[in-house]
Amino acid sequence: MINESRLVQTFLDLIAIDSPSGQEEAIGAELTRLLAALGGEVERDEQGSLIAHLSAAQGDGQSGPSGDWLMLSAHMDTVGKDLGIKPQIRDGVIYSDGATILGGDDKSGIAVILETIRSVQEDGMPHPPLEVVISVGEEVTLRGARLLDKGKLRARRGYVLDGGGPIGTIVTSAPSQDSLQITVHGKKAHAGSEPEKGINAIRVASEAIAAMPLGRIDPETTANIGTIEGGVARNIVPDEVRMQGEARSRDNLKLAVQTAAMATAFQEAAERHGARVEFKFTRSYSTYNWTEEDPIVAQAMAAARRLGFPPVLEASGGGSDANIYAEAGIPCAVLSTGMEDVHTSQEHIAIADMVNSARLLQEILLAG
Ligand SMILES: [Zn+2]
């Protein structure tokens, strides 16, 4: 049985260990200890991400095929730089003290995975061989999962416990993302005595940004210019502007069109003024799209229905480690742990939701 007070205690213990992205040393050591105590063969890669292998159990002496490896995944880093998080419980809901995030993203996912394994072990329930993967650096463009040696992974399907919404919410698709780095090179000149000798890089950038499609492009596609910096002084025509932006779509063709449109807007503005543009983009992660027929989705939906949680299939606007594993040939669905308002100081999670998330995961394991 999922043990509510043990689950909450595990969650609070994990919250007590600071782990902003890049500072996962302490929590990684603790998770290694916890997973080893559950009988896991734990391996930590150079970045600090963990892979633990736990063998299958037949349950009550029954024999039968042990099944294929099933991945259960979460991330151990928390967003931003918040330290010293002080969780508070009010009316069955866990909050921070309002000064920081809570870190339920994604420590609720880790706590749910640990409690589920404890529960099935304690009750001698059958389960497939489990591959627990806990990444570092998820909040910085999925760095830990990207750098993880996927050749070490044995599972060919999995669940990433890193979602919000009512229990039963299953993320079945997420976009591809292009990260953009743009520099406009103009020409310096004295702004008062000889402005005509200059090429104003800020003006070129402004015209380009004003001309390009941005924001919500269509239901599957978004784009943003997120940072801009440049210029040296009030009285100098600026010769350089640097920008960071992004484009996302759940359709790779639409993404290519959008990224090209942004590049073209810069190119055209630069040509009008005799400026030069460097436009670089990298694919940060790639889209996935599962349907109700895909086994990971079908099994999660069936398990949710058995427990009375209406399955809700959701298309996400953001990437997660599931994008990286999907690209490596491991289809993963993202399950809700009940976390809400993540990445803000209002972040919170209802204990009942966390318990139900573990019950759902346990139900999925029982079905193999
Ligand atoms: Zn997360």
Side-chain angles (χ1 to χ4, degrees):
M1 274 248 302
I2 299 299
N3 181 326
E4 174 178 315
S5 58
R6 183 172 58 189
L7 170 57
V8 170
Q9 194 54 53
T10 303
F11 178 66
L12 296 176
D13 290 347
L14 294 174
I15 296 289
I17 306 172
D18 290 327
S19 64
S21 308
Q23 300 174 49
E24 298 100 341
E25 198 48 45
I27 193 153
E30 175 63 4
L31 291 172
T32 301
R33 194 184 69 76
L34 292 172
L35 287 162
L38 292 173
E41 245 176 66
V42 193
E43 188 183 343
R44 216 168 158 191
D45 79 356
E46 306 85 73
Q47 277 70 44
S49 296
L50 294 178
I51 305 174
H53 289 110
L54 292 100
S55 36
Q58 308 301 341
D60 298 336
Q62 291 170 5
S63 61
S66 58
D68 299 325
W69 288 91
L70 179 66
M71 181 200 279
L72 303 179
S73 180
H75 64 91
M76 68 178 91
D77 63 315
T78 52
V79 72
K81 305 213 175 314
D82 287 351
L83 301 171
I85 294 164
K86 293 177 189 65
Q88 328 219 316
I89 304 179
R90 290 197 302 275
D91 301 326
V93 179
I94 310 177
Y95 303 83
S96 75
D97 65 357
T100 66
I101 56 161
L102 174 63
D105 176 9
D106 188 24
K107 285 167 178 171
S108 61
I110 303 174
V112 163
I113 291 171
L114 291 173
E115 175 56 33
T116 303
I117 295 173
R118 282 180 184 139
S119 170
V120 295
Q121 288 185 347
E122 205 168 61
D123 297 345
M125 292 174 175
H127 63 79
L130 299 176
E131 182 167 64
V132 179
V133 181
I134 305 186
S135 66
V136 297
E138 192 270 352
E139 301 288 2
V140 281
T141 60
L142 316 177
R143 191 171 176 277
R146 266 194 293 126
L147 295 178
L148 185 82
D149 177 3
K150 266 73 80 186
K152 290 183 173 163
L153 300 178
R154 302 175 191 170
R156 284 296 163 266
R157 67 201 166 104
Y159 294 98
V160 173
L161 278 289
D162 191 15
I167 301 307
T169 303
I170 306 163
V171 174
T172 54
S173 81
S176 296
Q177 187 197 76
D178 284 346
S179 300
L180 316 179
Q181 271 190 309
I182 311 112
T183 307
V184 174
H185 298 280
K187 199 168 162 222
K188 249 184 217 164
H190 192 288
S193 57
E194 45 182 14
E196 44 284 286
K197 286 197 177 161
I199 299 171
N200 189 319
I202 290 180
R203 173 159 197 166
V204 173
S206 305
E207 287 184 11
I209 293 169
M212 71 179 58
L214 280 182
R216 162 125 356 247
I217 310 298
D218 64 50
E220 302 184 296
T221 313
T222 59
N224 189 44
I225 297 289
T227 71
I228 179 163
E229 55 179 359
V232 257
R234 175 181 46 78
N235 57 357
I236 300 174
V237 175
D239 70 335
E240 192 177 291
V241 176
R242 295 168 301 279
M243 287 150 284
Q244 292 182 318
E246 61 160 50
R248 308 179 187 212
S249 183
R250 291 191 292 275
D251 180 324
N252 280 334
L253 191 60
K254 288 178 175 174
L255 178 57
V257 168
Q258 173 59 27
T259 300
M262 295 169 86
T264 302
F266 279 109
Q267 219 50 58
E268 289 178 351
E271 270 166 30
R272 280 196 299 275
H273 294 276
R276 189 167 61 82
V277 173
E278 281 175 73
F279 186 93
K280 291 186 209 156
F281 73 94
T282 49
R283 178 64 50 93
S284 302
Y285 49 80
S286 294
T287 185
Y288 62 84
N289 272 294
W290 316 131
T291 70
E292 295 189 21
E293 278 75 55
D294 284 297
I296 43 161
V297 179
Q299 283 171 13
M301 289 176 76
R305 285 203 185 97
R306 284 197 296 277
L307 295 179
F309 305 125
V312 181
L313 303 192
E314 205 177 79
S316 168
S320 75
D321 286 349
N323 289 67
I324 304 294
Y325 302 136
E327 215 178 332
I330 309 164
C332 287
V334 179
L335 301 179
S336 172
T337 67
M339 56 170 108
E340 297 294 339
D341 294 333
V342 298
H343 298 204
T344 75
S345 48
Q346 281 79 52
E347 183 186 355
H348 59 276
I349 187 164
I351 291 172
D353 283 343
M354 209 164 31
V355 168
N356 284 333
S357 174
R359 289 178 60 219
L360 176 55
L361 186 59
Q362 176 172 265
E363 189 68 24
I364 291 172
L365 294 195
L366 293 180

